[in-house]
Amino acid sequence: MELGMVGLGRMGGNMVRRLVRGGHSCVVFDRDASKVSELAGAGTKGAKSLSELVAALRAPRAVWIMLPAGAITEETVGELASLLARGDAIVDGGNSFHGDDVRRAKSLADKGIAYLDVGTSGGVWGVDRGYCLMIGGEKEAVRRLEPIFRTLAPGRGDIAPAPGRKGGTAEEGFLHCGPAGSGHFVKMVHNGIEYGLMQAYAEGFDVLKQKREVEVPMADVAELWRRGSVVGSWLLDLTAAALAADPELAKFEGNVADSGEGRWTLQAAIDEGVAAPAIASALFARFRSQVGHTFGEKVLSAMRFQFGGHHEKPKS
């Protein structure tokens, strides 16, 4: 299948690589021309502008946007809306606010252009591991792009379905969650949970670090917990890798960014009257990290770097 990809950063570039490896062809664009050049080759065609990208695609076209949430995504959707035609589709795979998706989908529907919001999880490892895809939008457009989703997703692999399941695409790593906005809403809650999980690990390792009476070999403890422990997870795998490389996490200060999804999740909890104290505490801990740092906050920074290539923001 053919796909246009706009935004070739840590996620977008690797997604193109995975798609090409899976037999798809991609037309790619990024404001940074060097990133376009990096992907030039078999299965990939570079474009110098959005209009050139659209012209290079065959109808019905599909253009996937992998850009930071906010103004740049809004501007790109607007420009694509003026270039695409009835029957085409726009996919926002970033971390946009779900309310914006509902508005965009409604506006594009008047032009006959489908809009899908796809929460995408997988970080810098997704090119090999695959991406977990949470999809919102109209069924027909989702069905048309299913070959793309199936290639990007991890596939069934060696993870057994939960007892009682009767099958479905969730077992392959992608799911049509509902109408426009649903995909990013599910991804928002996913990231809120991520905040809480990361904070629990960070606090635990901080307690280990601060115990005065004994010197705990934390890299070994992290490795130990990966084997048979009920707290085992991919986040723990990444923490163990960071501690193995540097037990003191010396290159991290512990200045932990809050990318927005935690705030949105907490606001949704407030709106619905749902108690979410773990997520709230994790969000406030990130705020606190902007003014002082603990070893636990270094663990948080190390995890973010490991799964997403996120670098600490310098102090202002």
Side-chain angles (χ1 to χ4, degrees):
M1 190 171 180
E2 189 178 65
L3 182 75
M5 179 68 77
V6 179
L8 306 174
R10 289 188 301 264
M11 295 280 281
N14 277 345
M15 290 168 73
V16 169
R17 292 180 178 95
R18 186 172 176 88
L19 286 168
V20 170
R21 188 189 303 165
H24 302 279
S25 61
C26 295
V27 181
V28 301
F29 169 71
D30 193 285
R31 292 181 179 181
D32 183 345
S34 67
K35 293 182 178 178
V36 176
S37 298
E38 284 177 20
L39 288 169
T44 306
K45 179 179 180 181
K48 296 179 181 178
S49 65
L50 288 179
S51 59
E52 188 174 309
L53 178 142
V54 169
L57 294 168
R58 296 184 296 271
R61 305 168 188 86
V63 180
W64 190 304
I65 301 170
M66 210 64 195
L67 297 170
I72 186 170
T73 292
E74 191 71 34
E75 291 167 8
T76 303
V77 171
E79 186 173 349
L80 285 172
S82 69
L83 296 169
L84 294 172
R86 184 171 296 275
D88 293 341
I90 295 175
V91 179
D92 178 9
N95 283 323
S96 291
F97 179 62
H98 61 93
D100 291 337
D101 296 315
V102 175
R103 170 178 51 78
R104 291 172 191 156
K106 189 175 296 184
S107 173
L108 289 167
D110 294 338
K111 300 174 179 286
I113 300 171
Y115 177 88
L116 302 180
D117 53 289
V118 181
T120 307
S121 181
V124 296
W125 301 83
V127 63
D128 295 316
R129 289 170 52 98
Y131 301 88
C132 178
L133 304 174
M134 296 148 264
I135 307 164
E138 295 180 356
K139 288 182 179 179
E140 184 177 339
V142 173
R143 192 178 301 113
R144 178 165 78 86
L145 293 179
E146 192 166 296
I148 295 292
F149 301 140
R150 183 162 273 113
T151 298
L152 287 173
R156 295 185 184 274
D158 57 1
I159 300 175
R165 278 199 58 82
K166 298 179 180 178
T169 65
E171 296 169 13
E172 299 178 57
F174 68 99
L175 179 68
H176 182 206
C177 299
S182 301
H184 278 150
F185 188 82
V186 173
K187 177 59 162 48
M188 176 193 78
V189 175
H190 163 285
N191 283 22
I193 292 170
E194 179 185 292
Y195 275 41
L197 291 172
M198 291 173 69
Q199 186 64 29
Y201 282 125
E203 291 175 8
F205 281 104
D206 208 10
V207 172
L208 291 173
K209 177 71 172 176
Q210 302 307 326
K211 181 64 174 174
R212 296 182 181 85
E213 291 80 3
V214 294
E215 186 174 336
V216 177
M218 286 189 294
D220 290 340
V221 170
E223 190 65 29
L224 171 70
W225 285 349
R226 295 179 64 211
R227 289 163 167 77
S229 166
V230 296
V231 299
S233 73
W234 186 43
L235 286 173
L236 181 61
D237 294 345
L238 298 175
T239 304
L243 289 169
D246 175 12
E248 295 300 319
L249 302 179
K251 75 174 183 179
F252 299 100
E253 288 189 15
N255 189 340
V256 187
D258 124 63
S259 52
E261 297 92 335
R263 298 187 189 209
W264 299 340
T265 304
L266 194 56
Q267 186 59 59
I270 291 169
D271 291 344
E272 302 303 327
V274 176
I279 296 172
S281 177
L283 177 63
F284 296 151
R286 293 196 178 198
F287 294 165
R288 200 212 65 77
S289 79
Q290 307 304 310
V291 295
H293 308 115
T294 65
F295 184 78
E297 283 155 359
K298 290 187 176 185
V299 174
L300 286 174
S301 285
M303 275 190 273
R304 294 186 80 243
F305 177 75
Q306 285 284 329
F307 70 69
H310 301 289
H311 292 273
E312 288 180 350
K313 292 182 180 179
K315 296 177 185 176
S316 56

